[in-house]
Amino acid sequence: MHKTKFIFVTGGVLSSLGKGLAAASIGAILKSRGLRVSVQKLDPYLNVDPGTMNPMQHGEVYVTDDGAETDLDLGHYERFLGTPTTRNNNYTAGRIYYQVIMKERRGEYLGGTVQVIPQVTDEIKAAILSVASPEVDVALVEIGGTVGDIESLPFLEAVRQLKKELGPFNSLNVHLTLVPYLSTSGEHKSKPTQHSVKELRSIGIQPEIILGRCDSTPLPADIKRKIALFCNVDEDAVFSAVNVKNIYEVPLRFYHEGVDQKIAILLQLPAQNPNLQPWIDLVEACSHSNGEVTIGIIGKYVELKESYKSLHEALAHGGLANRVAVNFRYINAEDLSEQNLNQQLKGLNGILVPGGFGTRGIDGKLLAISYARQNKVPFFGICLGMHCVVIEFARELAGIAGANSEEFDPASPDKVIYLMSSWYDHRTGKTQTRSHDSDLGGTMRLGSYPCKLTPGTIAHQAYQAEVIHERHRHRFEFNQAYMEKLKEHGLVFSGFSPDGALVEIVELQGHPWFLACQFHPEFKSQPMNPHPLFKDFIKAAKAHKPA
């Protein structure tokens, strides 16, 4: 193939239909056909990136190797395609407008009037084309939001223009809509889809493929024919996107519906049967387990599971590696107290304290860590979880009663965790700096960094490597002025930055499995390649018999 072909994925009727999963699944099938695939997400909100957004509103902030804070759908893309994404795989309206305004300020528009068309749409088209390369056969571009949203219009206009510019057989639109089933009348209703496609066609985009989101019952043939007739698409281009128990079933469902074959015809892709055996094996493994474990996740965003999407998936991957089903017990850290701690944490095979920001729920997380330490329950701390481990250990075992994080108490006399003022960025060869009055957005230690492991530790045993690379997203770090004192009382420092300046992993002596890391290992776990730490953690949880 001499040039990248594009598949634009849009959504209608309502949000949260699963455009990200649909795009990732289509990409997975096309990759199984031997094609080189990339996926991009375009978000219509005006934040430059989701880095400063509340996870309760937006869900998880995903981090790429090159340090971009992105939409959680990029996690789906990486897990389904098995290839890393970059900052070019996620653009927001805020980032697009920011680039346009910066060009205007620099005089790059030569004094011309700056407008949505053509300046903003041209910038969007350039963003889309940034994922095209000789190494990419097909690029899927997911347009966030719903057709009809005001903020999505510039993106859809850019898609309309680009489809024309790319020429025949080089692009198509896959439109995902809701086809509800009314139990009172006993039938699927196509009218919402008809109106959604009408809205899309009114701005100049004719979808070539329609995915009808429905319950567990596939769309009957007569409804598919009706949708095809009223939406001006081929009858064999209307497919069912049914609810599934396991998201990793979606590529197989799409294949059996014939989605990839229709795409291959419309884009004139090489004829090749997909190798879906890895997906068949994965779904089979998900359906058959030898036992189960229950993991308690002590967090502050537990009301919305999307806040911990990659974490949830990584734990499930660890379960697959150990042939056990993983049950999740999300526990609000604010609800934990000394009075109810034993009752709340009873029956857990493992305890995990995830990342986060701010003081809310910290006391509950410290109680959970103390419980895991004293009761020999396998424990895993991530980012903020590591900070809490250090604080709990310093207070309870090292006798530093005032130990705290500068994030929680700037006036603390013993800041065992403090604001990171500088760190070496191996990608740029420069030292990055941050002060107390720096902007919040994009000023953390972000992206992939190397970590040197200490031989003979839990971490070294899990990774079976001397040096690893993991993704970071944090502002605070361990204060090495306290290292020797904590070492004396049994805290093990098992991972460091190559220059030894930053502590990346700590462990506890005399415990079956107790590890906390500064980075976010969940971002690199994939269903067919579970992360070593999650695999090892679930193995320890499997061996632990809860009280």
Side-chain angles (χ1 to χ4, degrees):
M1 295 177 62
H2 66 283
K3 64 188 297 187
T4 302
K5 296 175 184 285
F6 286 86
I7 299 174
F8 300 104
V9 181
T10 56
V13 183
L14 48 82
S15 60
S16 300
L17 284 180
K19 294 192 303 298
L21 279 174
S25 298
I26 291 171
I29 312 175
L30 295 179
K31 185 178 179 182
S32 73
R33 294 174 68 107
L35 297 168
R36 298 165 298 175
V37 180
S38 182
V39 192
Q40 183 185 64
K41 174 72 181 291
L42 302 178
D43 280 303
Y45 51 75
L46 287 177
N47 303 68
V48 174
D49 60 45
T52 59
M53 296 171 73
N54 188 329
M56 290 298 292
Q57 283 192 20
H58 182 265
E60 168 189 83
V61 176
Y62 193 76
V63 177
T64 59
D65 277 343
D66 62 350
E69 294 175 286
T70 71
D71 184 81
L72 61 81
D73 277 321
L74 267 70
H76 291 315
Y77 304 161
E78 290 199 4
R79 288 187 287 272
F80 276 67
L81 296 178
T83 53
T85 54
T86 70
R87 62 183 67 251
N88 283 346
N89 293 94
N90 189 202
Y91 277 83
T92 70
R95 183 177 171 192
I96 294 292
Y97 278 97
Y98 181 80
Q99 291 176 178
V100 169
I101 291 169
M102 289 299 100
K103 286 183 177 181
E104 186 273 331
R105 292 290 84 188
R106 292 192 298 266
E108 293 186 26
Y109 296 118
L110 304 177
T113 302
V114 179
Q115 299 174 288
V116 172
I117 303 172
Q119 282 80 15
V120 171
T121 50
D122 283 350
E123 198 69 32
I124 294 171
K125 288 190 289 184
I128 294 171
L129 293 173
S130 70
V131 296
S133 77
E135 288 74 43
V136 176
D137 298 318
V138 180
L140 289 107
V141 181
E142 176 194 349
I143 315 299
T146 306
V147 171
D149 294 344
I150 293 174
E151 58 265 32
S152 297
L153 288 175
F155 290 96
L156 294 171
E157 169 59 20
V159 167
R160 183 195 68 79
Q161 295 178 21
L162 198 53
K163 285 189 69 173
K164 184 176 181 181
E165 293 167 12
L166 289 169
F169 309 114
N170 287 318
S171 72
L172 61 83
N173 170 248
V174 175
H175 192 53
L176 177 68
T177 74
L178 179 68
V179 184
Y181 178 82
L182 295 186
S183 58
T184 52
S185 60
E187 60 183 345
H188 289 88
K189 306 302 288 187
S190 66
K191 198 64 71 177
T193 294
Q194 293 179 44
H195 281 288
S196 180
V197 172
K198 180 182 178 182
E199 185 76 25
L200 191 60
R201 293 176 68 190
S202 73
I203 56 179
I205 299 175
Q206 168 63 55
E208 286 81 10
I209 290 176
I210 293 176
L211 297 177
R213 189 77 164 83
C214 50
D215 57 20
S216 56
T217 305
L219 300 179
D222 61 327
I223 289 295
K224 287 186 175 182
R225 283 194 297 271
K226 187 175 183 180
I227 289 173
L229 177 64
F230 282 94
C231 297
N232 196 34
V233 299
D234 298 336
E235 279 192 29
D236 63 350
V238 180
F239 302 101
S240 302
V242 301
N243 293 335
V244 293
K245 292 182 179 179
N246 186 330
I247 60 173
Y248 300 121
E249 294 179 34
V250 179
L252 297 177
R253 294 284 188 138
F254 281 2
Y255 168 72
H256 289 303
E257 282 274 317
V259 174
D260 63 306
Q261 187 62 28
K262 186 62 177 179
I263 289 174
I265 293 170
L266 293 172
L267 291 181
Q268 294 190 345
L269 299 174
Q272 186 170 340
N273 291 325
N275 175 22
L276 290 170
Q277 192 59 47
W279 288 96
I280 295 171
D281 294 342
L282 175 61
V283 172
E284 180 72 14
C286 292
S287 303
H288 296 87
S289 58
N290 298 318
E292 59 183 33
V293 296
T294 301
I295 304 298
I297 300 174
I298 319 299
K300 58 189 290 186
Y301 311 119
V302 296
E303 297 89 347
L304 183 66
K305 305 305 184 291
E306 293 290 282
S307 302
Y308 300 112
K309 188 62 180 175
S310 291
L311 184 64
H312 188 109
E313 294 302 314
L315 286 166
H317 303 162
L320 287 172
N322 289 280
R323 288 294 187 265
V324 294
V326 179
N327 299 322
F328 302 90
R329 190 189 299 177
Y330 287 94
I331 300 169
N332 192 325
E334 290 185 286
D335 294 337
L336 288 179
S337 66
E338 292 184 357
Q339 290 71 36
N340 67 16
L341 187 64
N342 290 335
Q343 183 62 35
Q344 288 267 34
L345 303 186
K346 184 179 180 180
L348 296 178
N349 298 94
I351 294 173
L352 189 149
V353 174
F357 297 92
T359 60
R360 185 165 63 87
I362 294 302
D363 289 342
K365 294 180 181 184
L366 295 175
L367 286 172
I369 291 168
S370 181
Y371 178 94
R373 176 175 58 79
Q374 294 177 33
N375 292 279
K376 307 295 185 183
V377 180
F379 175 83
F380 196 177
I382 296 175
C383 198
L384 181 66
M386 182 181 123
H387 298 171
C388 291
V389 163
V390 171
I391 293 168
E392 195 275 340
F393 187 93
R395 289 179 183 178
E396 302 301 325
L397 296 181
I400 309 173
N404 215 328
S405 168
E406 187 174 4
E407 181 181 13
F408 311 149
D409 182 9
S412 171
D414 288 297
K415 300 182 184 71
V416 292
I417 303 295
Y418 67 166
L419 182 72
M420 183 187 307
S421 58
S422 66
W423 62 96
Y424 178 73
D425 190 333
H426 66 96
R427 295 163 303 197
T428 64
K430 299 178 180 179
T431 297
Q432 303 294 317
T433 60
R434 187 184 190 282
S435 64
H436 286 80
D437 58 355
S438 297
D439 289 342
L440 291 179
T443 56
M444 292 182 280
R445 186 183 181 207
L446 290 163
S448 180
Y449 286 85
C451 171
K452 189 174 182 180
L453 301 180
T454 303
T457 59
I458 294 174
H460 185 263
Q461 181 179 348
Y463 281 101
Q464 294 292 301
E466 301 297 325
V467 178
I468 58 170
H469 290 78
E470 293 287 0
R471 298 177 189 177
H472 291 249
R473 183 177 183 251
H474 60 99
R475 297 186 180 90
F476 296 84
E477 64 167 316
F478 174 72
N479 185 347
Q480 293 208 37
Y482 293 88
M483 181 181 290
E484 291 305 318
K485 187 170 181 64
L486 298 187
K487 269 185 179 180
E488 291 173 7
H489 290 83
L491 192 63
V492 177
F493 296 88
S494 58
F496 295 85
S497 59
D499 61 3
L502 301 172
V503 172
E504 310 286 34
I505 309 174
V506 298
E507 302 175 9
L508 193 63
Q509 287 181 347
H511 193 286
W513 206 95
F514 192 107
L515 181 146
C517 55
Q518 181 63 79
F519 46 80
H520 287 266
E522 67 269 27
F523 292 148
K524 296 189 74 171
S525 187
Q526 298 169 7
M528 298 177 193
N529 186 24
H531 191 282
L533 290 182
F534 286 95
K535 184 161 52 174
D536 225 37
F537 174 56
I538 297 299
K539 180 181 179 181
K542 181 180 178 181
H544 176 73
K545 303 300 181 184

